Amino acid sequence: MTQETPAVFKSGYVALIGAPNVGKSTLLNRFLREKISITAPKPQTTRNRILGILTEPGFQIVFMDTPGIHRAKDRFNRVLVDTALATLGEADAVCFLIEIPEPDPEINDYILENLGRIDTPVILVINKIDALADKSRLLPLIEKYRGRHSFHAVVPVSALQGEGTDELMTELVALLQEGPQYYPEDHLTDQHERFLVAELIREKVFRLAHQEVPYAVAVSVERFAEIPEKNRIDIEAVVHVERESQKAIVIGKKGQMLKEIGRQAREDIEKLLGCHVYLGIFVRVTKNWRKDPRTLAEFGYHSPDRQ
Ligand SMILES: Nc1nc2c(ncn2[C@@H]2O[C@H](COP(=O)(O)OP(=O)(O)OP(=O)(O)O)[C@@H](O)[C@H]2O)c(=O)[nH]1
Ligand SMILES: [Mg+2]
């Protein structure tokens, strides 16, 4: 009689690293088939390390979505970049995302420098190929990058439309080692519902407000009350801005902007929570919150070594 050897369970942490706006969060959401991480056509949308947990028969991948790496000019932006770079030390594999044309090649040089300091396998992911009319531009770019780092694989994808993402998943699974199931199989993220709700509101501000306003905004959830008999959750949130002028923009003429932020956020929050939601949003001026270490920490932005 032959005895079946029990199949080994594989797992690993995978960091999604790249310049701002390259599509890291869009890729995470595609892999998880859920909106775990907010996205917007503006740089520095993601501000925290966001875990996305994918559990399949035989393996678990814990993705770490990260803030885009950029030239940090102040304390707040340094926290974002530190948060992203710190994930390199925790990862079993790294997806380094780039796009064509490269908006800022020097940033990618800087990321390559950092990748050179670790032994972790790195997959070069060339994203947004759906938007690339001239596919002959791929090869020279791949050659250039292959000359700079010994990549485990190079995979062109469209995170938005799904092209190439199965191939990328196959490469990632091949890199997994025997390991524990870190999270229960029904967990998609380690973040609490309150955080996800605050992020969905921030996403709408990011998408609807312009210029400096999205960067001056933080969102806190002040009340989150389940009303089971009405199958409803009552949420009150505060959109913090730094100046009165920004408050006026977020509220908009006759409150139109805030109303639209609330309408779109509520739709997404109801999808996330699977019930009716009452959403009240207030706008408050919290002067210089990005400069003050206390308010930064209060809103959840702290360097990994200070956590
Ligand atoms: N055409 C195209 N657009 C994409 C693709 N992937 C992402 N995008 C768009 O690029 C923009 C940025 O996407 P995000 O996923 O927020 O990018 P990110 O790298 O997480 O950005 P930060 O969090 O700011 O660092 C959004 O408007 C996305 O819809 C893609 O494959 N093709
Ligand atoms: Mg992002």
Side-chain angles (χ1 to χ4, degrees):
M1 216 165 65
T2 54
Q3 218 177 358
E4 267 186 48
T5 43
V8 287
F9 192 85
K10 294 183 170 185
S11 60
Y13 278 74
V14 173
L16 304 176
I17 290 281
N21 209 45
V22 74
K24 300 175 292 297
S25 304
T26 306
L27 184 64
L28 178 79
N29 293 339
R30 169 150 302 271
F31 278 145
L32 294 190
R33 301 179 285 271
E34 289 276 351
K35 185 163 171 175
I36 291 299
S37 194
I38 63 167
T39 67
K42 292 192 179 84
Q44 281 126 56
T45 305
T46 306
R47 291 177 177 172
N48 309 76
R49 186 194 72 166
I50 312 273
L51 288 195
I53 304 152
L54 178 72
T55 312
E56 298 283 357
F59 71 87
Q60 182 171 71
I61 300 180
V62 184
F63 289 101
M64 297 183 280
D65 186 15
T66 62
I69 291 173
H70 59 282
R71 285 181 194 78
K73 295 205 181 87
D74 54 25
R75 178 192 289 272
F76 173 59
N77 285 278
R78 271 199 307 277
V79 171
L80 302 192
V81 174
D82 286 353
T83 300
L85 290 175
T87 62
L88 292 179
E90 301 170 67
D92 299 303
V94 175
C95 289
F96 170 29
L97 278 80
I98 62 170
E99 61 183 304
I100 314 178
E102 297 175 88
D104 186 347
E106 277 180 25
I107 287 294
N108 286 338
D109 289 344
Y110 176 66
I111 297 172
L112 279 167
E113 252 173 58
N114 280 278
L115 294 176
R117 295 200 193 107
I118 55 171
D119 293 328
T120 317
V122 181
I123 299 177
L124 180 68
V125 178
I126 306 172
N127 190 28
K128 305 195 186 181
I129 53 165
D130 59 286
L132 181 66
D134 181 5
K135 299 276 192 279
S136 71
R137 294 177 71 181
L138 271 173
L139 265 181
L141 189 86
I142 292 174
E143 253 166 50
K144 173 182 136 186
Y145 272 86
R146 283 237 189 247
R148 306 281 308 276
H149 189 91
S150 171
F151 291 105
H152 168 78
V154 178
V155 188
V157 304
S158 166
L160 198 62
Q161 297 182 359
E163 220 179 323
T165 52
D166 287 350
E167 287 81 351
L168 177 55
M169 183 51 77
T170 306
E171 293 289 354
L172 284 172
V173 172
L175 281 174
L176 295 179
Q177 310 267 340
E178 183 174 356
Q181 183 179 320
Y182 293 105
Y183 292 90
E185 59 189 36
D186 58 344
H187 281 208
L188 283 176
T189 180
D190 65 336
Q191 304 288 357
H192 299 296
E193 284 173 339
R194 271 174 178 251
F195 174 82
L196 297 173
V197 164
E199 285 287 273
L200 288 172
I201 297 168
R202 196 167 65 78
E203 180 186 74
K204 303 316 168 199
V205 179
F206 244 75
R207 288 174 176 237
L208 293 168
H210 297 297
Q211 286 156 6
E212 92 287 3
V213 174
Y215 301 99
V217 161
V219 178
S220 61
V221 169
E222 310 277 309
R223 181 164 179 261
F224 189 101
E226 296 184 33
I227 322 281
E229 63 276 15
K230 290 190 176 147
N231 186 30
R232 194 183 79 198
I233 296 182
D234 287 1
I235 298 170
E236 277 169 20
V238 175
V239 170
H240 303 263
V241 291
E242 292 186 316
R243 290 201 295 269
E244 288 295 338
S245 58
Q246 295 159 345
K247 179 173 172 177
I249 292 172
V250 172
I251 292 173
K253 274 197 194 100
K254 293 188 184 154
Q256 282 304 312
M257 173 68 98
L258 190 58
K259 202 168 154 195
E260 187 58 18
I261 289 168
R263 193 188 63 77
Q264 292 189 17
R266 186 169 53 81
E267 245 176 52
D268 276 14
I269 295 167
E270 288 188 336
K271 243 184 259 164
L272 173 82
L273 302 176
C275 63
H276 295 299
V277 164
Y278 158 82
L279 177 62
I281 304 180
F282 308 88
V283 186
R284 190 183 300 158
V285 177
T286 306
K287 283 208 165 65
N288 292 325
W289 68 260
R290 279 183 293 182
K291 292 202 181 105
D292 179 356
R294 225 192 36 222
T295 37
L296 272 179
E298 196 183 311
F299 294 155
Y301 309 122
H302 26 57
S303 282
D305 53 336
R306 270 173 259 140
Q307 271 176 352

